[in-house]
Amino acid sequence: MSGCVASPDRGGADGARQRATAARPSPSPTPPLWNTRPASVAAVGDSITRGFDACGVLADCPEVSWATGSDAGVDSLALRLLGASALPSRSWNLARSGARVAELPAQMALAAARKPGLVAVMVGANDACRPSVDLMTPVADFRASFESAVAALRRTAPEAQLYVASVPDLHRLWSTGRDHPVGRQVWPMGVCGSMLADANDLGAAATARRAAVRERVVAYNGVLRDVCARDARCRHDGGAVFDYRFGSGQLSPWDVFHPSRDGQGRLAKIAYRAVTAAEPPA
């Protein structure tokens, strides 16, 4: 008879373990470091993000900004992510035309104070676009300022995501616009002198000058990529903006340099693709 009855001690221990396991809550899944649908967007940077010369001569036009604009034709990053009704309350354009990277830490601090889901940044063109090659921002200074900007974001908004666009290829912009009648008229007035001055001079000195500017832009993009790679909540565009071939239709009809409405739309598409991808750009 005793051989047909289970041991009370054994059954009790097993039952206690089963009850304890059932009562223990399952661990909550760890949220992903990157949310492809952030709930708010702040933008920092320079004239490209302000839509400068996209709607009229020598004027900002933030409604067509690739990052936060409301223009349906551009279909900005924020418009795609948030919808039109949310733009006034959940998107902020804190960029400034003419800004260089040294200004970025202050802009980033303003963005961080809003606790955005995503900060979009495009900066560096003005650091290369100086009156002369000697005045371009040194790479070490560019790195220090960009690192400070990321640190400013993390101090106040540690969970905010950061999308970093590469600096456009200024040499390709010169090649595209140098024969354009508007470019021939406007560029000598001081538009990106280091690259665009004497646009039709193909001599050795001018060629070397343009090569030095392009080399500096490549170095800036390396800094943006490397600093971003050290931050788990940062995505660099993988060089997509630098690689994009702006045609005359994507350049401002007033300066043949800044993006037009169509060009802003192309930048928005690149950004949206990078932000919403399951994996970051290569």
Side-chain angles (χ1 to χ4, degrees):
M1 292 290 291
S2 63
C4 297
V5 179
S7 166
D9 291 339
R10 181 181 177 86
D14 288 345
R17 277 193 296 270
Q18 291 171 359
R19 289 190 296 275
T21 299
R24 187 182 303 127
S26 299
S28 300
T30 302
L33 288 175
W34 189 265
N35 177 8
T36 59
R37 290 287 172 179
S40 56
V41 178
V44 294
D46 55 30
S47 57
I48 296 178
T49 300
R50 292 295 299 175
F52 183 81
D53 265 7
C55 305
V57 63
L58 298 179
D60 287 351
C61 190
E63 59 266 32
V64 303
S65 166
W66 66 272
T68 59
S70 58
D71 186 279
V74 171
D75 202 10
S76 72
L77 175 63
L79 187 58
R80 295 175 192 230
L81 291 172
L82 310 177
S85 62
L87 289 185
S89 60
R90 291 195 277 132
S91 69
W92 309 275
N93 192 322
L94 304 170
R96 186 186 69 81
S97 291
R100 299 200 291 273
V101 72
E103 187 178 316
L104 198 64
Q107 289 187 14
M108 199 73 83
L110 292 174
R114 289 160 170 79
K115 299 295 194 296
L118 174 73
V119 178
V121 56
M122 184 182 294
V123 73
N126 289 323
D127 293 273
C129 280
R130 305 290 290 142
S132 68
V133 168
D134 292 344
L135 293 176
M136 293 190 299
T137 302
V139 176
D141 292 352
F142 188 92
R143 179 181 295 276
S145 291
F146 189 64
E147 289 177 337
S148 294
V150 175
L153 176 66
R154 292 292 165 241
R155 279 194 296 271
T156 305
E159 295 186 358
Q161 296 175 175
L162 182 60
Y163 165 73
V164 179
S166 50
V167 183
D169 187 344
L170 303 179
H171 190 276
R172 187 178 292 131
L173 293 178
W174 162 77
S175 180
T176 299
R178 70 186 185 89
D179 291 325
H180 194 287
V182 173
R184 287 199 299 266
Q185 182 179 5
V186 174
W187 287 1
M189 298 171 68
V191 179
C192 195
S194 57
M195 175 62 76
L196 304 183
D198 303 316
N200 289 307
D201 183 353
L202 301 180
T207 299
R209 167 172 55 82
R210 295 185 196 108
V213 177
R214 188 180 192 276
E215 181 180 346
R216 187 62 57 91
V217 169
V218 169
Y220 291 163
N221 281 331
V223 169
L224 298 174
R225 181 193 63 239
D226 294 347
V227 174
C228 184
R230 299 200 303 263
D231 188 304
R233 297 184 187 273
C234 184
R235 279 192 179 183
H236 183 254
D237 72 358
V241 171
F242 179 81
D243 291 338
Y244 183 73
R245 294 181 175 274
F246 289 87
S248 58
Q250 286 84 53
L251 297 176
S252 165
W254 292 281
D255 66 19
V256 200
F257 182 72
H258 288 89
S260 64
R261 263 191 176 91
D262 186 59
Q264 291 281 347
R266 307 304 174 99
L267 295 175
K269 184 176 181 180
I270 290 170
Y272 181 75
R273 186 166 58 239
V275 169
T276 60
E279 298 294 333

